[in-house]
């Protein structure tokens, strides 16, 4: 089954073709970073309009790269939530129209399930991680720990009570004067910082539970930056201390989640999953415990069509699909998804 995947939940237009027999055939991504940079963040209406302009050309490009005609598609998968409602509607409208015209099934995909399953796209030398496992979903909009009992069967173990980790990276970068999007630039700057020059608390690690909170850490950074000489070195030192605090917090909570779930397999997905320090920390933790951790390639940590095509292919292959109605859910609880 060849499935076309469409991702338009926020500020990236992603398209891919996944074949349940041959794997990922082609994928393409268009980022709107330059469009939103002058505003310091995503402008929803501009995002929606840019998806309208870019989606159909990107579909044609991806099908060409896969060596396929549009009539070769066996099904269509699209992100239906969570996300920006206008952006979601662009992808949903195109996907449902295409499926109707081809008389093929279409499936609404949960954006975070796509992220959760992205590591399973990779050729892991240890083999594809099989449930049960614990998933850390860590991005600009979400920081969650999920117990995956089976594909489609998810239990929330813990989540952020305020800012997501990626959001905290972006806001911290902005308050120190780094341009949008600041999170990746802050992570790069942290590599130039001096270890131990600053130390920030590891939020909510001194109490039981698996929830996160990063707003207080962000305030600590603001105060440290205000009281520093605001030189380039101070910015790098504070960036390093901030990154270390976030990474340590995520690692501590992941280890607790593995213990709570009586599991030794961790899957990490989402934009912050590309962070080098986080990958090293979690890999070391997994080795120490005699377990394993799986990551998607950095290109599949951010929003992309490949994860949507893959997640949709699994559900279409299981016989699941929706009717012709164009529906999206800007807020959508992953626990409500049907099991495969």
């Amino acid at each position: 089954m060849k499935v076309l995947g469409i991702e338009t939940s926020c500020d990236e237009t992603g398209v891919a073709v996944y074949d349940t027999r041959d794997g990922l055939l082609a994928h393409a991504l268009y980022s709107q970073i330059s469009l939103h940079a002058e505003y310091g963040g995503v402008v929803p209406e501009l995002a929606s309009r840019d998806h309208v302009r870019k989606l159909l050309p990107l579909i044609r490009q991806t099908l060409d790269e896969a060596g396929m005609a549009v009539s070769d598609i066996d099904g269509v998968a699209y992100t239906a939530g969570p996300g920006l409602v206008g952006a979601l509607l662009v992808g949903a409208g195109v996907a449902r129209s295409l499926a109707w015209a081809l008389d093929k099934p279409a499936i609404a995909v949960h954006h975070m399930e796509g992220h959760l399953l992205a590591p399973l796209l990779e050729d892991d030398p240890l083999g594809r991680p099989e449930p049960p496992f614990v998933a850390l979903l860590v991005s600009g909009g979400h920081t969650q720990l999920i117990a995956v009992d089976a594909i489609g069967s998810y239990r929330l173990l813990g989540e952020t009570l305020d800012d997501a980790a990626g959001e905290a990276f972006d806001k911290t970068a902005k308050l120190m004067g780094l341009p949008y999007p600041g999170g990746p630039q802050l992570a790069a700057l942290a590599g130039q910082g001096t270890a131990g020059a600053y130390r920030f608390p590891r939020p909510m690690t001194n109490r039981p539970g698996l929830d996160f909170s990063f707003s207080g850490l962000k305030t600590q950074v603001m105060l440290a930056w205000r009281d520093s000489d605001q030189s380039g070195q101070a910015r790098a030192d504070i960036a390093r201390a901030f990154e270390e605090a976030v990474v340590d917090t995520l690692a501590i909570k992941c280890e607790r989640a593995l213990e709570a779930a009586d599991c030794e397999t961790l899957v990490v997905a989402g934009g912050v999953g590309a962070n080098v320090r986080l990958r090293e920390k979690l890999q070391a933790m997994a080795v120490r415990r005699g377990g394993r951790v799986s990551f998607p390639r950095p290109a599949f940590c951010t929003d992309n069509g490949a994860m949507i095509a893959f997640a949709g292919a699994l559900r279409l292959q299981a016989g699941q699909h929706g009717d012709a109605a164009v529906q999206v859910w800007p807020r959508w609880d992953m626990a409500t998804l049907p099991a495969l």
Side-chain angles (χ1 to χ4, degrees):
M1 173 179 269
K2 295 180 176 65
V3 177
L4 177 72
I6 295 173
E7 156 60 27
T8 62
S9 64
C10 189
D11 61 341
E12 286 161 322
T13 311
V15 178
V17 177
Y18 182 84
D19 189 330
T20 53
R21 183 187 65 185
D22 297 327
L24 186 64
L25 301 183
H27 66 95
L29 184 71
Y30 170 76
S31 173
Q32 300 177 0
I33 284 178
S34 60
L35 176 67
H36 301 288
E38 65 177 292
Y39 304 101
V42 176
V43 181
E45 179 63 22
L46 295 181
S48 302
R49 292 180 184 183
D50 217 31
H51 287 308
V52 172
R53 285 190 289 265
K54 297 298 192 298
L55 183 53
L56 289 178
L58 211 60
I59 289 174
R60 296 188 189 100
Q61 173 189 329
T62 305
L63 289 173
D64 286 345
E65 290 178 3
M68 293 171 53
V70 68
S71 58
D72 296 326
I73 296 170
D74 298 312
V76 183
Y78 63 95
T79 302
L84 302 175
V85 63
L88 292 168
L89 282 168
V90 175
V94 170
R96 285 293 179 189
S97 300
L98 185 58
W100 179 83
L102 296 172
D103 194 23
K104 300 294 184 181
I107 186 76
V109 174
H110 193 290
H111 180 74
M112 297 312 295
E113 182 177 49
H115 275 303
L116 186 151
L117 298 178
L120 278 61
L121 275 165
E122 304 297 353
D123 294 324
D124 193 317
L126 298 177
R128 178 186 291 183
E130 296 291 339
F133 56 78
V134 170
L136 171 66
L137 303 181
V138 57
S139 67
H142 298 81
T143 301
Q144 298 176 325
L145 283 164
I146 307 288
V148 180
D149 300 315
I151 303 301
S153 180
Y154 309 119
R155 291 182 291 116
L156 180 65
L157 300 176
E159 62 183 338
T160 185
L161 303 179
D162 40 60
D163 290 347
E167 185 180 10
F169 264 93
D170 288 339
K171 288 182 177 179
T172 298
K174 187 173 183 178
L175 71 86
M176 290 198 297
L178 295 176
Y180 172 87
Q185 296 190 52
L186 187 145
L189 188 62
Q192 305 170 28
T194 304
Y198 290 87
R199 179 175 174 80
F200 299 121
R202 278 54 177 161
M204 295 185 69
T205 58
N206 60 349
R207 65 182 77 175
L210 296 172
D211 287 333
F212 302 90
S213 172
F214 295 108
S215 62
L217 175 60
K218 188 178 61 183
T219 301
Q220 291 290 321
V221 172
M222 179 184 68
L223 295 174
W225 175 244
R226 186 195 64 186
D227 295 338
S228 74
D229 60 9
Q230 300 192 4
S231 63
Q233 188 59 50
R235 182 184 281 112
D237 291 345
I238 291 172
R240 174 161 184 157
F242 169 80
E243 182 185 59
E244 288 175 343
V246 173
V247 166
D248 286 352
T249 299
L250 293 172
I252 290 168
K253 296 287 186 171
C254 282
E255 186 160 16
R256 288 182 185 175
L258 290 170
E259 292 170 353
D262 192 22
C263 176
E264 293 303 334
T265 301
L266 177 68
V267 165
V268 182
V272 182
N275 182 277
V276 173
R277 197 181 301 274
L278 178 63
R279 288 183 173 232
E280 292 174 349
K281 188 82 173 183
L282 293 179
Q283 186 65 52
M285 182 266 288
V287 169
R288 174 169 51 80
R289 293 178 60 88
R292 63 179 293 196
V293 58
S294 293
F295 304 92
R297 71 192 75 168
F300 290 167
C301 287
T302 57
D303 295 349
N304 63 87
M307 68 184 191
I308 302 304
F310 177 62
L314 293 181
R315 292 193 173 275
L316 287 170
Q317 197 173 35
Q320 298 180 14
H321 59 85
D323 58 27
V326 178
Q327 289 184 296
V328 297
W329 297 273
R331 296 183 181 275
W332 189 4
D333 184 357
M334 198 161 65
T336 63
L337 293 175
L340 293 183

